[in-house]
Amino acid sequence: MTGARLIVDLGRILANIDTLRERLTPAEVMLVVKNDAYGHGVDAVVTAAARHGVRWFGAFDVPTGLRTRAAAGPEARVFSWATAAPTELESAIHARLDLGVGDPRYLEDVADASAGRGVRVHLKIDTGLHRNGVRPEDWREFTARAAELERAGHIRVVGVWSHLAETSEATDDDARDEYLRAVEDAEAVGLTPEVRHLAASAAAYARSSYHFDLARFGAFGYGIRSAGGEDLPGIVAAAALVAPVTAVRQGAVEVGIGALDGLPSTLAGRVEVGTPAGARLLRAVDDTTLTVDAWSGAAIGDEVVVFGPGSHGEPSATTLAEAIDTVGEEILVRVSPLIPRTYLTP
Ligand SMILES: *Cc1c(COP(=O)(O)O)cnc(C)c1O
């Protein structure tokens, strides 16, 4: 009997990318692959996406950036925006990562580590999220210093970027205004950033005025719809969590989900999962087993789909998330790395 596994349909990720590209053109799509490609597996996802012509990847931290570089090949642009320790910077520079820089101290660290190698950097303005990024009042001094370091050959400022709060259209519009001022200020000190990028999935999908040169897609690339949002045409879920029935008792079955599966126990009693007979209530979530309402003829080895894109009554990851007030990507990134990923290739 096959155990629990996350079945990832890479063709669906590529189809999502096609949808996003078509919507974005002439702006480009960056596929965000942080958190092990939202649980889908960074190596397989990046390999498939790079072969499909994706040119930009968003890797967050340097270790993910290095894996992304290895899988994507030398031509891809790999953007890593987590502040790296000085000890990590050498490998980041060696791998020719594009570095996101949202802090004056980090700018100096990057320039020091570069020592004349012209590292590509993207300067980050804080447009209201207060989560890394240079405050508008400090921006002029920051960009002036970046221009100096560029003239000295240590860095090359290729991008100016920010991240939206996505709490309302009005706050995002204010953030966009702030962002545009920051780009102008950067140009005023002699910088020539060629990639401007502001939006992630929801805003970039919905609003063309947020595309600029590049948009950073995580959730929609994997077909994870926004919490509270609708299914979107051309965006399809790529991963299904499938697990076998290991015991049948009166009125309920036990499903072996493997060690430390990471599914939130608060889902118990609140959602239905997919079974051969259609949707059934998820009664309990333990470390290694789920308990699900039985169906007639339930047998050991039958398969239950905890979430996914299929047709057995299973919920999407976002539908599970909504039952416990979180977001779909949270469900996916919590699927334990000990649960094997199996890939369907197009
Ligand atoms: C996670 C992340 C994204 C992707 O967000 P989605 O909503 O999943 O598309 C984009 N940009 C930054 C800076 C992020 O941290």
Side-chain angles (χ1 to χ4, degrees):
M1 183 167 67
T2 316
R5 63 221 183 268
L6 188 74
I7 301 174
V8 177
D9 187 336
L10 293 169
R12 284 171 166 255
I13 295 176
L14 303 183
N16 293 335
I17 289 168
D18 287 342
T19 298
L20 298 172
R21 273 178 169 165
E22 199 170 305
R23 252 183 124 76
L24 265 281
T25 191
E28 278 196 80
V29 169
M30 175 189 287
L31 182 64
V32 176
V33 295
K34 67 188 181 194
N35 289 320
D36 200 24
Y38 289 45
H40 294 69
V42 65
D43 305 303
V45 167
V46 170
T47 301
R51 278 202 199 122
H52 199 62
V54 172
R55 218 166 65 87
W56 282 92
F57 293 91
F60 185 62
D61 55 307
V62 169
T64 303
L66 300 180
R67 279 176 73 178
T68 300
R69 168 63 73 214
E75 302 298 326
R77 298 289 289 272
V78 180
F79 179 53
S80 168
W81 65 92
T83 299
T87 49
E88 278 180 315
L89 277 171
E90 182 52 40
S91 56
I93 293 168
H94 186 71
R96 292 176 306 99
L97 305 188
D98 280 51
L99 300 177
V101 177
D103 169 84
R105 179 65 246 153
Y106 188 45
L107 182 65
E108 300 300 330
D109 286 350
V110 169
D112 284 349
S114 165
R117 286 180 285 181
V119 177
R120 290 190 296 248
V121 304
H122 301 230
L123 303 180
K124 185 179 186 192
I125 174 84
D126 179 0
T127 52
L129 201 56
H130 307 304
R131 204 216 261 167
N132 175 278
V134 172
R135 292 293 304 147
E137 58 271 23
D138 303 323
W139 182 251
R140 274 167 197 246
E141 194 185 333
F142 180 65
T143 49
R145 177 64 181 147
E148 232 170 65
L149 293 169
E150 181 169 88
R151 284 193 296 272
H154 298 309
I155 61 169
R156 206 146 59 73
V157 176
V158 296
V160 171
W161 71 293
S162 190
H163 194 50
L164 296 168
E166 289 186 342
T167 47
S168 74
E169 288 203 356
T171 52
D172 284 354
D173 286 342
D174 290 345
R176 183 176 179 279
D177 291 343
E178 191 74 73
Y179 175 71
L180 287 171
R181 278 193 291 276
V183 172
E184 270 179 30
D185 286 351
E187 289 169 345
V189 296
L191 297 171
T192 52
E194 71 248 28
V195 275
R196 297 162 301 158
H197 49 114
L198 178 61
S201 291
Y205 187 92
R207 305 175 76 190
S208 59
S209 59
Y210 282 66
H211 291 172
F212 297 101
D213 302 305
L214 189 62
R216 304 182 304 269
F217 285 98
F220 288 11
Y222 307 100
I224 302 167
R225 78 173 157 82
S226 303
E230 295 176 3
D231 282 329
L232 299 168
I235 299 293
V236 286
L241 181 59
V242 178
V245 171
T246 49
V248 181
R249 310 195 188 294
Q250 279 214 319
V253 300
E254 265 182 25
V255 177
I257 199 77
L260 307 167
D261 102 279
L263 207 65
S265 58
T266 46
L267 288 168
R270 295 183 194 200
V271 297
E272 294 182 322
V273 295
T275 79
R280 290 291 185 279
L281 181 70
L282 176 64
R283 288 193 193 177
V285 178
D286 300 314
D287 274 353
T288 57
T289 53
L290 309 178
T291 309
V292 174
D293 272 355
W295 54 94
S296 98
I300 289 174
D302 283 355
E303 295 208 305
V304 164
V305 187
V306 181
F307 62 79
S311 53
H312 301 284
E314 61 269 31
S316 72
T318 301
T319 302
L320 292 186
E322 285 165 344
I324 54 170
D325 283 327
T326 180
V327 291
E329 42 273 48
E330 174 82 15
I331 299 292
L332 271 150
V333 303
R334 284 182 57 161
V335 173
S336 166
L338 299 176
I339 291 190
R341 274 62 175 163
T342 62
Y343 293 97
L344 307 178
T345 48

